[in-house]
mmCIF file of all heavy atoms in Angstrom:
data_model
loop_
_atom_site.group_PDB
_atom_site.id
_atom_site.type_symbol
_atom_site.label_atom_id
_atom_site.label_comp_id
_atom_site.label_asym_id
_atom_site.label_seq_id
_atom_site.Cartn_x
_atom_site.Cartn_y
_atom_site.Cartn_z
ATOM 1 N N ARG A 204 72.269 43.850 29.706
ATOM 2 C CA ARG A 204 71.070 43.187 30.247
ATOM 3 C C ARG A 204 71.421 41.959 31.069
ATOM 4 O O ARG A 204 70.539 41.287 31.576
ATOM 5 C CB ARG A 204 70.161 42.733 29.091
ATOM 6 C CG ARG A 204 69.270 43.803 28.558
ATOM 7 C CD ARG A 204 68.148 43.197 27.722
ATOM 8 N NE ARG A 204 66.841 43.506 28.284
ATOM 9 C CZ ARG A 204 66.179 44.621 28.064
ATOM 10 N NH1 ARG A 204 66.694 45.548 27.312
ATOM 11 N NH2 ARG A 204 64.989 44.812 28.609
ATOM 12 N N GLY A 205 72.705 41.586 31.099
ATOM 13 C CA GLY A 205 73.101 40.473 31.951
ATOM 14 C C GLY A 205 73.377 39.175 31.224
ATOM 15 O O GLY A 205 73.593 38.136 31.862
ATOM 16 N N ILE A 206 73.394 39.216 29.881
ATOM 17 C CA ILE A 206 73.720 38.003 29.123
ATOM 18 C C ILE A 206 75.185 37.620 29.390
ATOM 19 O O ILE A 206 76.058 38.472 29.507
ATOM 20 C CB ILE A 206 73.446 38.280 27.616
ATOM 21 C CG1 ILE A 206 71.952 38.119 27.329
ATOM 22 C CG2 ILE A 206 74.274 37.404 26.706
ATOM 23 C CD1 ILE A 206 71.391 36.726 27.523
ATOM 24 N N ASP A 207 75.439 36.316 29.505
ATOM 25 C CA ASP A 207 76.774 35.840 29.889
ATOM 26 C C ASP A 207 77.701 35.606 28.707
ATOM 27 O O ASP A 207 78.859 35.243 28.908
ATOM 28 C CB ASP A 207 76.632 34.543 30.692
ATOM 29 C CG ASP A 207 75.844 34.785 31.956
ATOM 30 O OD1 ASP A 207 76.377 35.465 32.851
ATOM 31 O OD2 ASP A 207 74.677 34.339 32.044
ATOM 32 N N GLY A 208 77.187 35.758 27.519
ATOM 33 C CA GLY A 208 78.052 35.581 26.360
ATOM 34 C C GLY A 208 77.251 35.247 25.129
ATOM 35 O O GLY A 208 76.007 35.280 25.122
ATOM 36 N N PHE A 209 77.980 34.912 24.073
ATOM 37 C CA PHE A 209 77.350 34.696 22.772
ATOM 38 C C PHE A 209 77.932 33.481 22.086
ATOM 39 O O PHE A 209 79.121 33.201 22.193
ATOM 40 C CB PHE A 209 77.588 35.903 21.854
ATOM 41 C CG PHE A 209 77.098 37.192 22.450
ATOM 42 C CD1 PHE A 209 77.950 37.984 23.201
ATOM 43 C CD2 PHE A 209 75.774 37.576 22.295
ATOM 44 C CE1 PHE A 209 77.496 39.166 23.774
ATOM 45 C CE2 PHE A 209 75.311 38.752 22.860
ATOM 46 C CZ PHE A 209 76.176 39.551 23.611
ATOM 47 N N ARG A 210 77.066 32.813 21.348
ATOM 48 C CA ARG A 210 77.501 31.865 20.331
ATOM 49 C C ARG A 210 77.416 32.682 19.042
ATOM 50 O O ARG A 210 76.359 33.202 18.695
ATOM 51 C CB ARG A 210 76.566 30.656 20.318
ATOM 52 C CG ARG A 210 76.879 29.598 19.249
ATOM 53 C CD ARG A 210 76.030 29.803 18.040
ATOM 54 N NE ARG A 210 76.137 28.699 17.083
ATOM 55 C CZ ARG A 210 75.672 28.742 15.846
ATOM 56 N NH1 ARG A 210 75.060 29.833 15.415
ATOM 57 N NH2 ARG A 210 75.787 27.723 15.049
ATOM 58 N N ALA A 211 78.545 32.836 18.360
ATOM 59 C CA ALA A 211 78.582 33.702 17.176
ATOM 60 C C ALA A 211 78.478 32.829 15.928
ATOM 61 O O ALA A 211 79.346 32.020 15.633
ATOM 62 C CB ALA A 211 79.862 34.530 17.170
ATOM 63 N N ASP A 212 77.401 33.036 15.198
ATOM 64 C CA ASP A 212 77.066 32.224 14.018
ATOM 65 C C ASP A 212 78.083 32.442 12.881
ATOM 66 O O ASP A 212 78.418 33.599 12.570
ATOM 67 C CB ASP A 212 75.663 32.652 13.558
ATOM 68 C CG ASP A 212 75.091 31.750 12.481
ATOM 69 O OD1 ASP A 212 74.855 30.570 12.763
ATOM 70 O OD2 ASP A 212 74.876 32.243 11.348
ATOM 71 N N VAL A 213 78.519 31.347 12.252
ATOM 72 C CA VAL A 213 79.499 31.375 11.131
ATOM 73 C C VAL A 213 80.434 32.595 11.163
ATOM 74 O O VAL A 213 80.627 33.281 10.150
ATOM 75 C CB VAL A 213 78.830 31.236 9.738
ATOM 76 C CG1 VAL A 213 78.283 29.841 9.549
ATOM 77 C CG2 VAL A 213 77.741 32.254 9.475
ATOM 78 N N VAL A 214 81.054 32.785 12.313
ATOM 79 C CA VAL A 214 81.811 34.029 12.518
ATOM 80 C C VAL A 214 83.132 34.023 11.730
ATOM 81 O O VAL A 214 83.730 35.076 11.515
ATOM 82 C CB VAL A 214 81.994 34.272 14.035
ATOM 83 C CG1 VAL A 214 83.054 33.368 14.629
ATOM 84 C CG2 VAL A 214 82.270 35.730 14.346
ATOM 85 N N HIS A 215 83.547 32.842 11.246
ATOM 86 C CA HIS A 215 84.769 32.809 10.425
ATOM 87 C C HIS A 215 84.545 33.474 9.069
ATOM 88 O O HIS A 215 85.501 33.697 8.331
ATOM 89 C CB HIS A 215 85.230 31.357 10.197
ATOM 90 C CG HIS A 215 84.240 30.499 9.470
ATOM 91 N ND1 HIS A 215 82.995 30.207 9.982
ATOM 92 C CD2 HIS A 215 84.296 29.887 8.267
ATOM 93 C CE1 HIS A 215 82.347 29.443 9.114
ATOM 94 N NE2 HIS A 215 83.107 29.233 8.069
ATOM 95 N N MET A 216 83.277 33.777 8.733
ATOM 96 C CA MET A 216 82.988 34.314 7.401
ATOM 97 C C MET A 216 82.827 35.825 7.368
ATOM 98 O O MET A 216 82.595 36.391 6.297
ATOM 99 C CB MET A 216 81.718 33.657 6.844
ATOM 100 C CG MET A 216 81.883 32.163 6.621
ATOM 101 S SD MET A 216 80.385 31.407 5.994
ATOM 102 C CE MET A 216 80.455 31.922 4.285
#
Side-chain angles (χ1 to χ4, degrees):
R204 277 196 119 84
I206 279 296
D207 299 290
F209 303 92
R210 178 263 189 192
D212 189 65
V213 290
V214 76
H215 61 297
M216 296 179 77

